[in-house]
Each structure stands twice: as C-alpha cells, then as structure tokens.
Amino acid sequence: MADSDEPEKKRSRVVEQTEKMVVDGGYGGTCEWQGRWNHVKKLLERAGPFTHPDFEPSTESLQFLLETCKILVIGAGGLGCELLKGLAFSGFCNIHVVDMDIIDVSNLNRQFLFRTKDVGRPKADVAADFINSRIPGCRVVPHFKKIQDLDEIFYKQFHIIVCGLDSVVARRWMNGMLLSLLVYKDGVLDPGSIIPLIDGGTEGFKGNARVILPGMSACIDCTLELYPPQINFPMCTIASMPRLPEHCIEYVRVLLWPKVRPFGDSVVLDGDDPEHIQWVHQRSLERAAEFNITGVTYRLTQGVVKRIIPAVASTNAVIAAACATEVFKIASSAFIPLNNYMVFNDVDGLYTYTFEAERKENCSACSQVPLDLFFSSSSKLQKVLDYLIESASLQMKSPAITTTIDGKNKTLYLQSVASIEQRTRPNLSKTLKELGLTEGQELAVADITTPQTMLFRLCFTS
C-alpha cells in the first residue's frame, strides 16, 4: 500500500512546487520561491578569488538588483532578445527596452522571443510581453519608438544602459546623449552624473563587447576608426555595367531615388518603411531584367538599403552574455568590470582577447574643446563638408554648418530641410574667405550621429 502511495506523493510535491511559482504580477510573494536566486547569491553573498578588492559580501546587493536597479536595453533584435533574457535571469527585474522595428519573418531564425503569429508587431512590445509572462516578477517596459524621440529626462532615470544595435549612427547618438548628461563642477566631472554604457556588436561570426564610462573612458567616437567602412560599389559599375543583383539595387538607391523622388522632394529613403523598400524592389527588378540579372528579392533589397550584415545566433548569444555579465559587475560592484574592449571571433576555431581603448584628447564627442579644422582661406565650403563626411574620425552623415559673423548667426549649409538646402547650396562653391570666415572662426556642426552640436575652430593654412 505504501508503494502505491509514493507516485501520488511525488505528484503532490510537484503540484505544491508549481503553485509556489505562480506569477502574481508583482515583486515578492508568490513570484518568489525558495532557492530561486541561489545562483546569484553565490556571487553576492560570499567572497572569492575573483571578487573586487573592495567588495563586501551582503544580502543588500541582491535586493538592489531585484527592486531598485533600472536597466535600459536599446534594441530588441538578435542581441536585444538575448540581453533581455540574460538580464532577467541575472536578477534584474526593472528593465525598459527601446526598439523602432517591427517583426519580420526573417527575424524568427535567431530572435527567439518572437513567433510566426508576432510578425508585423513591434519588437519591443512582443519581447516585453514574452519576458514578463515567462519570468516571474520581471517587469519589462517597452518603448516602440526611435531613441531620438526620447528626451534627457527619460535617459536620466537609468542606472545602466546596454546597447544591442546594428547601427553605428544610433550608437554614436546614444553616446552623445550620455555625454550631454554629464555634470562638471568647476571643471571637475561629477561621478554621480555618469551612466555607464555597455555596447555589444556582431558581424556574422565576429563580435565585440565594450564598457564605456562617459567622460572617463574612451567613448564610441574615440574609437570610430575601429568600425569597418561600408562596402560601396564603383559608380561606373552601378550606372553602366551591373553584374550582380546588388548593383541593380544600388542603382535605384543611389541614382534613381534622388532623381524621381517618388514620395516627395524632401522624403529621404527609409529602410524601415515597407512602401519605400517595395518601390526600390520593383525598380530593381526592372533594372535587373534589362541586363538579364537574377536574384533581386525583397529581403536582399532591404539588406542592401539598410546595409544589413547576416547575423549568427550563436555569436549574438555569446556577445549578449558578455554584455549582461558586465551589467551585473557594475550594478553589484562584486567584480572588476571589463577594461574596456573585448573582441570575439569564431570564424576559424575560437579566439578572444581584450584591450584598453584610450581616450582621444581631441575627440569630437567627449574632449570638451573645439576641434581644429585646417584649410586654406581659398578652400571652398564643399571641401569642408566632404572632410566632415569622409574623415575616419568623424564620419558624419548630413552635417549642418552654422557660424556667427558680426554677432549674427549664419547658416552656411543645411541639407535636411529642402528649402534651406536650396538657399544655402550656392555657399558650397564659395571659398571660406568669400563667406566671411576668418582665422580662429568657430563653426557649429549638427548631425544625426549626435544630439549635441559639435564645435570646430578654423585654422587657415598658407
């Protein structure tokens, strides 16, 4: 009789344990169970050979992670999904996620928080719902919008920001935002105004993770030369002798779109707008048919327009885990964080190394001093514009240049507004002297790569 009761007792224990794991939508209570955070407690409540020299084990560190620490995740794609999972399982219960994209079928092979039924929905919303429903007590707040649509007050509320982006422009903007939040008292940086930035990036089987302490360590712009240049096809090939489907798409993107302006004179091609991509796709198919080229697909079209690099799920998992670990180190102060750049490569075998990226004294983003621009007074403004765009250390996209002459603000060139661009375009063919610029003149340059206006100082060469 006793033997027959044993299976029933086991089932009762399983039911009892399951009931303890029921989510009630809040912290503590039924969303906690005995031993849930043992894996975290082993790191926070005892000393070890790898702990920070100043670390003192306590129970308060775990409570800070569970109840107080606010983390912002930028991006809910391949890296973002892994980051949300890793952070939630590490004890972070108060997370916000920002993403402007919607779910596409092509995302499903590696962005594991999404299902077929989610196609067409915002990534941020679906990712938040998934984590909230599967991890008791975790509260992820989604923001389906661009990072540029959120203000300083929003970003100030977070203890740590971690990026899982596929855009250098977005990284630079986020870097600039955190630099703009720094407070200096009598020229000395207030440590309390620093919001650490953890940045991860992947390219196929390669990836990197880095820790940035704004105002103290090397920022994104300090190491801008490390980002590989985008692949550009020769213009003669695009225009006259296309051989690949990519050549046909580039023809439409570079030459046909600016000429036809299918959605209006001031509308810029948006890789996230389905109508824009569909238009480019159709024109690319027509171009390909003229030269008997096959292989132009909607997915390839979007990939060329957005400069998408094929993603590998395993690489995303490794880099996201490294980033989540750095978040844990900084939030808990239990371990010394990465100093400050880790490179990962599993193309042939497995290879990883770390190095310390150094701050640039003349960094355009974090140096706090105007940068010198060396040109002769006879140089044309177009040459200055080209330098701002082509320089490896600046890599601007559409710089707007203004200055002050005789106490009045003067716009030298602005591209983003059609009417002003048309009015200021003649300035590009004028020399700096003809524009009234003098030695030591300060130029204020705004660009989509940063929320801050950058200052430059003209230094005339003979």
Side-chain angles (χ1 to χ4, degrees):
M1 188 69 178
D3 292 340
S4 62
D5 287 344
E6 191 61 30
E8 185 62 34
K9 290 180 180 179
K10 288 183 178 180
R11 281 194 292 270
S12 298
R13 286 196 294 270
V14 171
V15 171
E16 183 180 352
Q17 291 172 354
T18 303
E19 288 176 347
K20 289 180 180 180
M21 297 169 64
V22 174
V23 183
D24 67 353
Y27 298 109
T30 56
C31 72
E32 299 291 351
W33 57 89
Q34 186 175 4
R36 180 182 183 188
W37 300 111
N38 281 351
H39 62 294
V40 180
K41 289 181 179 179
K42 289 177 181 178
L43 300 174
L44 300 180
E45 296 181 6
R46 63 183 187 182
F50 300 109
T51 53
H52 194 289
D54 299 327
F55 174 67
E56 295 183 4
S58 71
T59 59
E60 296 177 357
S61 296
L62 178 58
Q63 291 306 115
F64 173 74
L65 299 189
L66 295 174
E67 301 173 3
T68 306
C69 189
K70 294 185 72 173
I71 306 296
L72 175 63
V73 175
I74 308 291
L79 271 175
C81 287
E82 292 282 355
L83 280 168
L84 289 170
K85 178 257 298 181
L87 291 169
F89 280 136
S90 299
F92 296 97
C93 292
N94 196 348
I95 305 171
H96 289 236
V97 58
V98 179
D99 196 293
M100 60 175 282
D101 286 340
I102 60 174
I103 299 167
D104 184 74
V105 174
S106 63
N107 302 144
L108 303 182
N109 70 331
R110 65 192 181 281
Q111 298 174 22
F112 64 94
L113 299 184
F114 310 140
R115 302 292 182 267
T116 304
K117 63 181 176 61
D118 301 319
V119 171
R121 291 186 59 198
K123 289 184 179 180
D125 292 350
V126 176
D129 290 344
F130 194 104
I131 296 293
N132 291 339
S133 64
R134 293 290 291 273
I135 303 181
C138 189
R139 185 170 65 90
V140 180
V141 180
H143 302 273
F144 175 46
K145 54 183 62 180
K146 297 178 180 180
I147 55 174
Q148 294 87 348
D149 295 336
L150 298 162
D151 58 18
E152 291 185 355
I153 297 176
F154 173 80
Y155 290 110
K156 278 183 178 179
Q157 66 181 302
F158 299 102
H159 293 92
I160 301 172
I161 295 176
V162 53
C163 289
L165 293 164
D166 58 3
S167 165
V168 176
V169 173
R171 280 188 179 89
R172 295 178 66 187
W173 191 93
M174 196 67 247
N175 178 71
M177 170 56 72
L178 296 186
L179 288 172
S180 71
L181 298 180
L182 297 178
V183 175
Y184 291 86
K185 297 179 179 178
D186 298 325
V188 179
L189 176 62
D190 178 9
S193 65
I194 298 174
I195 301 176
L197 174 66
I198 315 298
D199 178 58
T202 63
E203 284 187 3
F205 290 98
K206 301 176 182 179
N208 69 273
R210 62 188 303 183
V211 174
I212 297 171
L213 301 178
M216 293 182 63
S217 64
C219 74
I220 296 288
D221 283 48
C222 285
T223 56
L224 203 55
E225 295 92 339
L226 293 178
Y227 292 101
Q230 293 182 342
I231 298 174
N232 293 308
F233 302 105
M235 186 60 67
C236 58
T237 301
I238 295 172
S240 306
M241 298 177 293
R243 298 183 301 276
L244 302 173
E246 289 86 350
H247 294 161
C248 301
I249 299 168
E250 280 289 270
Y251 171 82
V252 178
R253 185 184 75 86
V254 176
L255 299 176
L256 197 57
W257 179 283
K259 180 180 178 181
V260 178
R261 297 285 184 180
F263 294 88
D265 291 341
S266 60
V267 179
V268 179
L269 177 57
D270 184 356
D272 295 303
D273 189 322
E275 292 186 6
H276 289 196
I277 298 300
Q278 186 61 38
W279 188 90
V280 175
H281 179 221
Q282 290 300 323
R283 303 294 87 74
S284 300
L285 285 172
E286 295 169 6
R287 175 76 171 174
E290 292 180 25
F291 293 88
N292 297 317
I293 296 173
T294 60
V296 174
T297 64
Y298 182 92
R299 182 177 179 181
L300 179 64
T301 302
Q302 189 173 40
V304 172
V305 171
K306 294 182 66 176
R307 294 292 197 260
I308 294 174
I309 298 171
V312 177
S314 58
T315 310
N316 285 336
V318 170
I319 296 303
C323 291
T325 301
E326 294 307 318
V327 173
F328 182 85
K329 290 179 184 178
I330 294 176
S332 66
S333 299
F335 303 89
I336 299 175
L338 174 70
N339 186 28
N340 52 33
Y341 202 113
M342 185 273 285
V343 175
F344 172 83
N345 188 331
D346 62 347
V347 175
D348 297 307
L350 182 62
Y351 176 67
T352 181
Y353 71 96
T354 63
F355 68 92
E356 181 182 358
E358 297 183 358
R359 286 189 70 185
K360 286 176 63 175
E361 292 184 2
N362 62 340
C363 174
S364 60
C366 68
S367 65
Q368 300 289 309
V369 295
L371 300 186
D372 292 335
L373 288 176
F374 294 93
F375 291 95
S376 68
S377 59
S378 60
S379 298
K380 295 182 179 180
L381 185 64
Q382 180 69 60
K383 190 174 182 179
V384 177
L385 187 75
D386 292 341
Y387 172 78
L388 296 174
I389 295 172
E390 297 171 2
S391 168
S393 61
L394 296 174
Q395 297 185 33
M396 296 186 181
K397 300 302 178 182
S398 54
I401 309 173
T402 61
T403 189
T404 301
I405 298 178
D406 296 330
K408 296 181 180 179
N409 291 330
K410 181 178 180 179
T411 300
L412 300 178
Y413 183 70
L414 192 149
Q415 184 177 346
S416 57
V417 181
S419 59
I420 300 179
E421 195 281 332
Q422 187 175 8
R423 179 168 55 84
T424 57
R425 191 185 307 159
N427 289 341
L428 295 176
S429 59
K430 295 181 180 179
T431 66
L432 302 183
K433 184 177 181 180
E434 290 172 340
L435 291 169
L437 303 178
T438 58
E439 171 75 19
Q441 183 102 36
E442 286 195 352
L443 302 181
V445 180
D447 191 61
I448 60 173
T449 57
T450 176
Q452 303 183 92
T453 298
M454 289 175 279
L455 290 179
F456 295 86
R457 182 173 53 236
L458 275 179
C459 299
F460 284 158
T461 57
S462 56

